[in-house]
Amino acid sequence: MEDGTSSGPRMDVQIRSAGGAFAKNATIQDARNANYDIAYAATGAPLTNTSKLMRRAQQTQPPIAGPAKADATRRVLADAEKEAALMLASAQSKDVIALANHAFALLDDLETLWKLRPDREEEWADLVNLLQGTLGDQNFEVLTVDQCQVLHRIISKHLCAGTVGIDNIRDTVRLLSSIGLHPWKPISGPQADEL
Amino acid sequence: MNSERKGTAVFLDASIQIARAIREEAQRDRIAERIRLYDISVTSLVVKQEFKRRLLGDAQYLLNLLNRKNSYEAVRAHVTNVLPKQQNRKRTICLNLLAQAYHGRDDADLTERARRMLRAFMLTALDAFDKVGHLIKDSGCACASYPVTEVKPYKRYQFGPNKCSVLGGVCGVVAFLKDQEANLSAILQKLQGIPDQEKSPELRKAEDFIRKALDDPEQAQAEDPCLTVGDLMIALESVKIPHFYTMNGKESQHLCKALGQTLIVRRNNPEHDDVVCQSADANWPRF
């Protein structure tokens, strides 16, 4: 037809797993796509699979991240692991100022990782959230060698794991509790007396 | 704190287990201080079931509110202004400090963090029962063996049954009660000696239940004892442990006296010392 649209019957097109492919924002393409049942963002934003994701209980599948985002996450994870290792070294050499500074750097890495959470599985974001909540108002100068050792272990073994599931969360909670850090601090508090 | 003769074991009531999970640091420290005086800490199946029902039930409630209101601040306002005062005081989880833990965030960020935290909590909090020295399983409470199952992330959770009556032969409560005849009689005698106006609703229910259970223990399961007279069931589970640690002295003062236990009450204010009621003392303070 003259305006570029089809006069034929509406066609249902299988939604592809686009994995972040981009669709060019062309008016002809827009008009053509009005006749197709397809996930399309006219602004040229990435195509995403809009079918309902059937999530396995207790472990979600990570979204498909572009290579740049995946690389960014990897670099920040590596830095977080490095800062945790430096915290341990500082605690061992009793340099509390250095310990605190590396801990602040780790917190900063956790904040960056939090912003990158759309590209990872839910449990990974839960883990970042847990760590931020536990360390958020912690006085870093008083962290012991044991505590730093466990924090390093959590970062390297769990946060840096390929895929994080509920068992990683479970072990992290256990480890944090074992060193006197309270994983549920954000939802803990005093209780009013009974009437 | 007064020094205590060191015993071998202390029984941790549901209120103590809940406080160890989500009370403020000062209170958790006081509890840890008390537990350190003993060789082992002990808890039980009905305590685990109460923990699941009360604490994880609270978590589920808050998660449901967050899903509905999609706002951490709105949920805080809701539990303060809409929930009846008595219910609000009974709540276990406190969301008020979340903003402090994650300083300088906006409501959308805090909402997401609260949801994530509550979800992780529901899925892992029962692990705490693996860390207690010993779990008494004499009651055969089958409800306690059901884990929390996530049916739909953040939306639907199953805690398993909470009524003895739906579990048929899987629940061991009838056999347990038959075995506890002497203790049930001792408790009944104690309760009958309390003036009616001084009996809490829970103690009245316990008294009623004991009469029925002594008369016909086979019918006890139909009464859903773990749900309806949980304090009594926990007292019976704890009977072999000389020291009973709780935050709730109101019912425990009578139950522990009847069973010849020493009662230790952790006060709600962590600045206050535990109140210790020795089994050998004739007179105890009133709670």
Side-chain angles (χ1 to χ4, degrees):
Chain A
M1 290 177 71
E2 278 181 4
D3 64 358
T5 60
S6 164
S7 59
R10 183 183 173 85
M11 288 174 64
D12 286 337
V13 176
Q14 285 292 332
I15 296 168
R16 291 179 295 123
S17 174
F22 282 79
K24 194 173 174 186
N25 184 16
T27 49
I28 291 173
Q29 197 168 3
D30 277 345
R32 195 188 308 131
N33 276 319
N35 289 315
Y36 293 85
D37 185 14
I38 193 167
Y40 175 78
T43 58
L47 282 170
T48 54
N49 188 341
T50 58
S51 63
K52 258 191 192 168
L53 291 170
M54 295 301 292
R55 292 181 180 196
R56 278 185 294 140
Q58 299 186 14
Q59 180 160 350
T60 56
Q61 298 301 316
I64 302 163
K69 282 250 175 87
D71 188 55
T73 307
R74 255 192 310 272
R75 278 186 275 111
V76 181
L77 280 172
D79 198 65
E81 209 250 314
K82 187 195 88 192
E83 293 298 339
L86 289 169
M87 281 173 65
L88 175 56
S90 304
Q92 285 165 336
S93 61
K94 297 189 186 0
D95 187 345
V96 299
I97 301 297
L99 165 58
N101 285 337
H102 289 303
F104 282 117
L106 170 62
L107 263 192
D108 187 59
D109 282 334
L110 289 173
E111 184 60 27
T112 306
L113 291 171
W114 175 252
K115 290 180 181 140
L116 291 167
R117 70 193 182 282
D119 300 304
R120 288 294 303 257
E121 60 277 23
E122 294 288 343
E123 287 75 19
W124 184 87
D126 290 345
L127 189 47
V128 175
N129 188 42
L130 255 178
L131 289 170
Q132 286 184 293
T134 303
L135 297 175
D137 60 356
Q138 173 70 38
N139 288 331
F140 298 125
E141 299 86 337
V142 302
L143 287 173
T144 63
V145 170
D146 284 347
Q147 287 172 326
C148 292
Q149 208 147 40
V150 165
L151 285 169
H152 180 241
R153 186 171 158 192
I154 290 170
I155 305 273
S156 57
K157 184 182 170 195
H158 294 303
L159 195 61
C160 293
T163 305
V164 174
I166 193 62
D167 285 337
N168 298 98
I169 306 270
R170 191 160 257 138
D171 200 41
T172 296
V173 167
R174 182 187 64 80
L175 286 167
L176 288 171
S177 303
S178 74
I179 53 167
L181 294 180
H182 191 50
W184 313 120
K185 201 191 307 186
I187 55 171
S188 301
Q191 197 172 2
D193 279 319
E194 290 283 344
L195 285 169
Chain B
M1 189 185 71
N2 296 331
S3 63
E4 289 294 318
R5 182 173 63 82
K6 187 171 176 153
T8 55
V10 63
F11 187 91
L12 307 179
D13 190 14
S15 54
I16 293 291
Q17 286 291 82
I18 289 171
R20 290 173 85 195
I22 51 79
R23 282 297 299 265
E24 70 276 29
E25 187 177 355
Q27 186 67 299
R28 296 198 318 275
D29 285 348
R30 291 306 299 257
I31 293 171
E33 218 174 281
R34 170 60 61 181
I35 293 174
R36 270 197 292 274
L37 295 177
Y38 297 86
D39 295 330
I40 63 162
S41 55
V42 183
T43 193
S44 70
L45 288 181
V46 180
V47 169
K48 187 176 176 182
Q49 177 59 13
E50 286 259 293
F51 182 96
K52 194 180 11 155
R53 187 174 63 83
R54 285 173 56 193
L55 182 55
L56 303 192
D58 266 5
Q60 186 180 37
Y61 167 68
L62 290 170
L63 190 54
N64 285 335
L65 283 182
L66 284 164
N67 289 338
R68 164 181 282 186
K69 295 184 179 294
N70 206 28
S71 161
Y72 163 72
E73 286 301 335
V75 169
R76 277 184 61 192
H78 180 95
V79 297
T80 306
N81 302 326
V82 175
L83 207 58
K85 249 198 180 96
Q86 182 65 31
Q87 286 300 317
N88 204 4
R89 285 175 187 279
K90 281 185 176 166
R91 277 193 319 107
T92 48
I93 293 176
C94 174
L95 282 186
N96 292 341
L97 301 183
L98 194 121
Q100 196 175 299
Y102 299 106
H103 10 241
R105 313 283 175 168
D106 62 19
D107 189 46
D109 190 84
L110 289 174
T111 302
E112 182 182 345
R113 288 179 184 280
R115 292 175 77 231
R116 288 187 181 282
M117 182 132 290
L118 289 167
R119 177 197 179 228
F121 185 67
M122 276 201 284
L123 294 177
T124 64
L126 284 179
D127 294 356
F129 281 80
D130 299 334
K131 288 193 294 201
V132 177
H134 190 74
L135 186 71
I136 295 175
K137 297 181 180 175
D138 296 356
S139 67
C141 172
C143 295
S145 66
Y146 287 79
V148 175
T149 308
E150 183 171 68
V151 177
K152 220 185 274 187
Y154 301 101
K155 292 251 162 59
R156 292 293 304 276
Y157 293 84
Q158 283 174 354
F159 292 178
N162 66 351
K163 290 184 175 181
C164 320
S165 55
V166 306
L167 288 169
V170 177
C171 179
V173 75
V174 169
F176 176 62
L177 288 169
K178 280 179 181 171
D179 210 38
Q180 295 293 321
E181 199 181 313
N183 291 322
L184 284 168
S185 299
I187 294 173
L188 181 61
Q189 191 175 20
K190 177 80 173 81
L191 295 181
Q192 284 169 335
I194 302 169
D196 256 348
Q197 63 270 23
E198 288 177 26
K199 271 184 222 169
S200 66
E202 286 80 8
L203 289 178
R204 280 199 210 103
K205 265 194 248 174
E207 194 177 339
D208 260 341
F209 173 79
I210 293 173
R211 282 204 192 90
K212 288 178 190 164
L214 287 172
D215 191 42
D216 186 359
E218 295 291 337
Q219 295 309 311
Q221 191 170 344
E223 301 284 324
D224 297 325
C226 297
L227 178 63
T228 58
V229 288
D231 289 335
L232 170 67
M233 295 301 290
I234 289 170
L236 293 170
E237 285 180 313
S238 77
V239 71
K240 292 175 191 162
I241 310 300
H243 288 203
F244 187 96
Y245 194 24
T246 182
M247 291 191 69
N248 172 23
K250 214 155 55 155
E251 280 77 40
S252 298
Q253 62 186 326
H254 303 295
L255 299 171
C256 289
K257 205 63 166 102
L259 297 176
Q261 291 167 304
T262 290
L263 170 67
I264 304 160
V265 181
R266 169 95 289 275
R267 307 280 293 279
N268 192 43
N269 184 336
E271 288 179 16
H272 297 153
D273 288 342
D274 290 343
V275 178
V276 182
C277 309
Q278 297 286 357
S279 56
D281 293 343
N283 297 313
W284 285 5
R286 299 262 293 266
F287 295 97

